[in-house]
């Protein structure tokens, strides 16, 4: 069962419990606080969308100004000629 389904099932159970006549004032307050927490969690899930958090949709763009990695040995320049390290 997904998180969304669990939250919706818990919300339905709490609403059904809230509609019963034998609920005391303290229990009613606790149920209302739990319903507010569930609504907040549902809002967060709704904002995240079906594919997860919004940070997962970042588009990566090639940056030509980025410094290249030097995978080879560095070259030394000596009086205009190129001398490679041994």
């Amino acid at each position: 069962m997904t998180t969304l389904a669990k939250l919706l099932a818990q919300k339905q159970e709490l609403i059904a419990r809230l509609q019963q006549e034998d609920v005391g004032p303290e229990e009613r307050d606790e149920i209302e606080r739990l319903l507010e927490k569930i609504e907040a969690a549902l809002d967060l899930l709704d904002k995240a969308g079906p594919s997860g958090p919004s940070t997962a949709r970042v588009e990566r763009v090639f940056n030509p100004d980025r410094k290249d990695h030097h995978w080879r040995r560095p070259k030394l320049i000596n009086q205009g000629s190129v001398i490679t390290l041994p």
Side-chain angles (χ1 to χ4, degrees), residues 47-81:
K47 288 179 184 176
S51 66
S54 61
T55 56
R57 297 181 190 175
V58 174
E59 180 181 347
R60 295 180 184 240
V61 179
F62 176 72
N63 184 3
D65 296 331
R66 185 175 166 197
K67 186 176 179 182
D68 292 334
H69 293 286
H70 297 286
W71 300 111
R72 293 174 277 138
R73 286 188 271 176
K75 295 181 180 180
L76 296 177
I77 299 175
N78 186 7
Q79 297 177 352
S81 62

Side-chain angles (χ1 to χ4, degrees), residues 20-31:
Q20 293 177 356
E21 295 178 7
D22 62 341
V23 178
E26 292 177 6
E27 189 176 1
R28 181 175 298 276
D29 291 340
E30 182 65 27
I31 290 172

Side-chain angles (χ1 to χ4, degrees), residues 3-35:
T3 304
L4 180 63
K6 288 178 184 178
L7 286 172
L8 290 174
Q10 188 177 15
K11 181 180 176 182
Q12 288 177 347
E13 291 173 13
L14 289 172
I15 290 173
R17 179 71 180 139
L18 193 60
Q19 292 174 349
Q20 293 177 356
E21 295 178 7
D22 62 341
V23 178
E26 292 177 6
E27 189 176 1
R28 181 175 298 276
D29 291 340
E30 182 65 27
I31 290 172
E32 289 174 357
R33 273 183 283 194
L34 288 171
L35 285 172

